[in-house]
Structures are given as C-alpha cells and as structure tokens.
Amino acid sequence: MSTTYDLIVVSAFGRGQWIASELAGQGWKTALVDVSDQVATISDIDAEGPFGLFESQELLPSQRARLADEGEFAAVAGGFTLWLPEGPLEFRSELTPFLLRARDIPEEVETYVRHSGSKAKEGEREKRQIKKLQYSHSWLAQFAHSLTAATHHENHVALESNTAAPLFSPYGLRQLTATGLAKGVQVAKTAGVSLRPKSKIVDLRFDGKSVDAIEIQGDVSGAERGRAFVWCLSYDETKRVSEKLAARLFPKAWPEAQWGWQRLTFETSPSDLLLSLPLSVTVIDDVDLAWTRANMVLVRRRENESSFDAWVKVPTWMRRETPVFAGVVDEVKRLLERKLPGVTLTQKGDLLSPLQWPIYTIEDFAALGAAKSPNLFFDAPGFWSSIDWLGRFKVESLIVEKLMKLKTIWDAAERKAEAQRERQSRKGAQP
C-alpha cells in the first residue's frame, strides 16, 4: 500500500526545509522533494543571497538553528555596517548614537528603526511622523525599508515598503561548506523527513481544487500522495520545469521583475588588505542618489579567502545588455578600489550570475498571485515581502500556522468519522 503523507514540500535551494523539519518533529508524516537540479544550476553562494541574518524577536530558535546547522554562523562584530563617504557607521557600537547625531539622524528616526524588528503598536504613528521630516533627516528609516524589500521604491518614498530591516539587531553571515549543507540535510532526516533528493517533477495531480499527489522521477519514482503541499518554486522556476504546471499553478502569468540583485566576485591584491574589512559592509557612495547600481554595493567577505562578493541591485534589462552591465561592473570596481587604497581588484567568474533575487514594482507585486487551493501553499520569491532570511521565515511561520489549522480540521473530521463508525458498529451488534 502506498504511503500518504501529511505534508509534501516541493523544495529548491533549501526552501521549505525548516517547515518540513518543524512539522516532522511534531509527528507529521513529511516528505521533502528536492528539485533544485531540475530548476537551475547555481552556486550555494547565489542560493544564499546578498543578505545575512538579522536577529529579530520574530525569529524562532528552531529557525536560527536551521541556518546554523548548514554552516558556521559568523557574527559581524559591529553589527550591520554602512560605509558612507564620511566613514563607517556601525549599528552595534558604543559610538553608534554619537555617529547618528553627527550625521543629523534624529532620535525619533533611530527609535523607529530600532522598533522595526518588533511588533510595536506605535510603529505606524512613528512612521507618519517620519514622513513629515526632510529626506536629509529621514533617509535612514527610508533605507531600512528599502534594503531587503521585495519591491523597489525611490529613496524618498521607501517608507511605503511594508517591511523594514532591523538594522540595530545582531547581524551575522553563514560561512557555507559542503559538509555543513550535508549536515543540514541529515538534521532534516533525523527529524523524520523522508527525503527525495535530485528529483524531477512529472506532474501535480488535483482532486477538484485540492492537490492529491505529485508524480516524480528520481531515486524514488512514482506518485507521492499527500494531504497538504508546500510549493517552493517561483513562477519563472516552475515554468522552467513545466509550462503546463506553470499555467495551472500560476493562472495569471507574472510580469517580469524590473530589478534584481546581482553578484560580482573580485580577487584582491595584495590579499592581506582585505582583512581590514568586516565580514559584511554596505558601501553607499551618495545617500541622496538611488540605492542601485554602483551607488550601493553589499560587500560580503569570505573568511580566510582573498576574494569577496559584491552584490548590486540593477535593472533586469541590463542583464540582456552586456556592454551596459559591464559598465556597471567597472564602476563598482573603481568605487571599491577608491575605498581600499593600494588594493587592485580583478573580477572572477562569469559576468552574470543567475537571477535568483527578483525585485518587483509595488504595483506588480500587489498583482502577483497563484492558484487557490485549500491544501496548497507557496514559499518562493514573489511571496516574500522581504528577501532576507527574516522575510522568508515570516512566510514559513505563517504557512505552519495555516497547516496546523488545517490539521485541526482533519482531526475533527477523523473524530466524527470514528464516532459514526462506532455508532454503526453498535447498531449492527444489536439483536
């Protein structure tokens, strides 16, 4: 007899792994179908993305543990750091309040950003007050709303974004290794998750509006039946797998993302000067100009290596105009060499890495949608309001809440059916 799972997670690039492990640990019969190889060939660095982890109050201990399982978690000593023309601004330093006042950042803006990782009721009232300030005083709050957002906003109206990065929270990066990633998979297996690695999706079977089973090929092939499903592929990724599935799961074709985060990798010479940088620093050349292209660069250094990654936010059309994008790369190189006197940078690898981190206009993002099904949930770019780990985990926490509510419905139905069987059994036993 074939197994029917309580939950089947269709995963790519580690998405949904926390959901699978969390519910398996609570006794759910759970399977995770990994289709990463069918979607795209990308590096672990690109799958990780441009942002580290802000230690928000909303983060569950099991979520942080899920990240730590896969790689050594390296805290950035001074917290999230901006490197401005007048010098660095660390957000977890004894000098932070002084440096904020020196840059004309009012205390009410500092207070607002400090509350951004909490559920403070006064947040909306504070935001209304900050909107009344001149941009020269409000820009830091605008930046907090813009940094990790899945929607693009001009600097002076970035407060329109629904989420804000908690810049003053502890901040760190993962140093991913193949051993760590293998350990993360083993942790999921130990929690009770049935793993289906390197699978290919053949079809998704519906019973009315509900999903009934997924047909896969791989080490395990055939139809896997489930009571609930989490789909961790975006529209574009689903389309690469199957045009038919994309049309069914995303009835309204999604617009192309207008912006995206793009990774560049540079080798440094001499390499020892790179050690003067923190593990992560965001370089802004001019806070008054758009936080895109070469004006804002997210630098992520790798421990004990002479190379580093520089993430930039660029219009997606530039990916099709190689000479134009090459000009942005040159501008980034000149900016960083100016910031690091005596260092010569050489770009490594391909000019373009795969587009994994799309950014939409606010109008397009509001219009994005997927198939409505009572037992199907989505966890992928286009569904996260912020594209850092906090935004992803926030969506996954909501999915778990919905799944638990769904289970109460299943349990109630089973109790009702059991009671009915008992009544029929007693009735049948009467002479």
Side-chain angles (χ1 to χ4, degrees), residues 181-192:
L181 292 171
K183 179 185 175 184
V185 172
Q186 185 59 43
V187 168
K189 188 175 181 179
T190 302

Side-chain angles (χ1 to χ4, degrees), residues 125-178:
R125 179 179 59 82
E126 291 178 351
K127 184 191 289 189
R128 288 193 296 271
Q129 294 300 317
I130 290 171
K131 285 182 177 180
K132 299 176 182 178
L133 298 175
Q134 293 181 349
Y135 173 78
S136 60
H137 291 151
S138 71
W139 72 265
L140 184 62
Q142 310 272 10
F143 173 80
H145 275 266
S146 171
L147 178 63
T148 62
T151 52
H152 176 72
H153 304 265
E154 297 299 327
N155 298 25
H156 65 287
V157 292
L159 285 168
E160 294 176 0
S161 169
N162 291 329
T163 60
L167 302 179
F168 290 92
S169 299
Y171 184 71
L173 304 180
R174 292 200 297 169
Q175 304 292 318
L176 292 176
T177 63

Side-chain angles (χ1 to χ4, degrees), residues 96-280:
T96 299
F98 167 77
L99 293 174
L100 291 173
R101 300 297 90 77
R103 288 169 171 79
D104 278 341
I105 304 298
E107 290 186 10
E108 56 264 37
V109 171
E110 177 186 349
T111 300
Y112 173 77
V113 176
R114 285 187 181 277
H115 287 169
S116 61
S118 65
K119 300 179 180 179
K121 294 181 179 179
E122 64 271 16
E124 285 301 316
R125 179 179 59 82
E126 291 178 351
K127 184 191 289 189
R128 288 193 296 271
Q129 294 300 317
I130 290 171
K131 285 182 177 180
K132 299 176 182 178
L133 298 175
Q134 293 181 349
Y135 173 78
S136 60
H137 291 151
S138 71
W139 72 265
L140 184 62
Q142 310 272 10
F143 173 80
H145 275 266
S146 171
L147 178 63
T148 62
T151 52
H152 176 72
H153 304 265
E154 297 299 327
N155 298 25
H156 65 287
V157 292
L159 285 168
E160 294 176 0
S161 169
N162 291 329
T163 60
L167 302 179
F168 290 92
S169 299
Y171 184 71
L173 304 180
R174 292 200 297 169
Q175 304 292 318
L176 292 176
T177 63
T179 302
L181 292 171
K183 179 185 175 184
V185 172
Q186 185 59 43
V187 168
K189 188 175 181 179
T190 302
V193 179
S194 296
L195 301 175
R196 303 288 184 264
K198 297 184 178 180
S199 297
K200 296 183 68 175
I201 301 171
V202 178
D203 197 9
L204 199 62
R205 196 167 69 198
F206 282 77
D207 181 8
K209 290 186 176 181
S210 297
V211 182
D212 176 62
I214 181 171
E215 187 177 348
I216 62 173
Q217 293 178 348
D219 293 343
V220 176
S221 296
E224 299 277 22
R225 294 175 59 87
R227 298 207 289 178
F229 294 78
V230 177
W231 189 263
C232 299
L233 278 63
S234 68
Y235 166 74
D236 290 323
E237 292 165 345
T238 304
K239 196 174 179 181
R240 286 178 222 153
V241 169
S242 166
E243 295 270 0
K244 177 184 173 183
L245 274 178
R248 182 143 201 193
L249 294 176
F250 304 91
K252 294 167 56 180
W254 284 19
E256 180 186 22
Q258 298 299 301
W259 295 84
W261 285 99
Q262 174 69 47
R263 178 176 62 87
L264 310 173
T265 300
F266 292 101
E267 185 82 27
T268 62
S269 178
S271 59
D272 57 337
L273 292 180
L274 188 62
L275 299 177
S276 62
L277 286 180
L279 284 175
S280 173

Side-chain angles (χ1 to χ4, degrees), residues 50 72-79 81 171-175 274-282 298-305 307-309:
E72 181 181 350
F73 198 82
V76 179
T81 302
Y171 184 71
L173 304 180
R174 292 200 297 169
Q175 304 292 318
L274 188 62
L275 299 177
S276 62
L277 286 180
L279 284 175
S280 173
V281 62
T282 297
L298 275 61
V299 174
R300 290 187 56 150
R301 183 166 63 82
R302 305 175 197 172
E303 286 189 328
N304 304 318
E305 291 191 25
S307 61
F308 66 90
D309 298 315

